[in-house]
Amino acid sequence: MSKKLPSTLPNMVLSLVIITAVVAMALSFVYGVTQEPIQKTNREREVGAIKNVIPNFDNDPTLNPQTINDILIYVGMSGTDTVGYAIKTYTNMGYGGRFDLMVGFNPDCSINKIVVLGHNETPGLGSKMTEDGFMKQFSGLKIKELPNSNLGVKKDGGTIDAITASTVTTRAFCDGVQKAYNALQELLNKNV
């Protein structure tokens, strides 16, 4: 017959330490098992987003991305020719906080396509930024030809029509795209 330990402070602390150690080992094991599949899935998602926003390329742009101001720049190549730049950017100005975008630029720095990687915007309002009607405004847009090379909503003197009842989201979207463009310009100026 086992003897029950008395309910004292040292016994309770010892019990909690043992339980915590067992749980930590279990979590460590699960993390070790799932780490590789998670990394593989994230890499496939990233490559898929890159393929979505720039024309066909034959290199692996994820092998050597450039980082400028926390913005990742992937260069798509076909042979020795640059076919486009896929830029993983973000903004913290969204109504629901941060959201991430993948912005594709053509070699002439016009926007090819944009994909929203993740957001917490209001369903039915800010989430309309993923719809074609809104996205079409950016296709072919050359930010360098805008006043002061700044992207903005018409309400603020810019060129982009805001999503109805979601001006905050639209401004945030423009902020993310502007960050991508600025990072690209910095990269191109560095390589000249």
Side-chain angles (χ1 to χ4, degrees):
M1 192 176 212
S2 66
K3 184 178 174 187
K4 185 177 177 186
L5 291 174
S7 184
T8 62
L9 180 63
N11 287 341
M12 287 189 278
V13 170
L14 180 64
S15 297
L16 287 175
V17 168
I18 291 171
I19 291 170
T20 303
V22 169
V23 169
M25 286 190 306
L27 287 175
S28 175
F29 174 74
V30 170
Y31 176 75
V33 169
T34 59
Q35 184 180 17
E36 190 175 318
I38 290 171
Q39 287 175 342
K40 184 179 177 190
T41 301
N42 287 341
R43 184 177 162 88
E44 288 171 357
R45 187 180 309 149
E46 203 166 271
V47 170
I50 294 168
K51 285 180 180 176
N52 248 339
V53 298
I54 59 176
N56 292 337
F57 50 88
D58 58 17
N59 66 326
D60 183 356
T62 62
L63 290 179
N64 192 20
Q66 303 283 320
T67 303
I68 295 179
N69 301 326
D70 295 330
I71 309 278
L72 280 174
I73 302 174
Y74 304 96
V75 181
M77 306 286 292
S78 179
T80 57
D81 297 328
T82 300
V83 296
Y85 304 92
I87 301 178
K88 186 177 179 184
T89 184
Y90 68 95
T91 181
N92 291 318
M93 296 172 52
Y95 188 77
R98 178 183 171 129
F99 59 82
D100 298 310
L101 306 170
M102 185 70 80
V103 183
F105 287 95
N106 295 309
D108 67 353
C109 295
S110 62
I111 296 173
N112 186 48
K113 190 173 179 183
I114 302 173
V115 171
V116 178
L117 299 174
H119 70 86
N120 295 313
E121 299 300 289
T122 308
L125 293 174
S127 65
K128 288 184 178 178
M129 70 177 158
T130 62
E131 295 179 359
D132 288 344
F134 177 70
M135 292 285 194
K136 281 182 183 173
Q137 299 180 83
F138 296 91
S139 183
L141 184 67
K142 292 183 177 179
I143 296 176
K144 70 180 176 186
E145 294 178 356
L146 300 176
N148 299 321
S149 297
N150 280 324
L151 190 60
V153 296
K154 285 184 178 174
K155 196 176 204 177
D156 300 333
T159 57
I160 301 300
D161 286 321
I163 301 167
T164 304
S166 295
T167 305
V168 171
T169 300
T170 309
R171 285 183 181 129
F173 194 95
C174 290
D175 176 62
V177 175
Q178 185 73 48
K179 282 181 181 174
Y181 176 76
N182 292 345
L184 177 60
Q185 293 308 302
E186 196 170 323
L187 175 73
L188 295 175
N189 289 334
K190 196 166 61 174
N191 292 338
V192 171

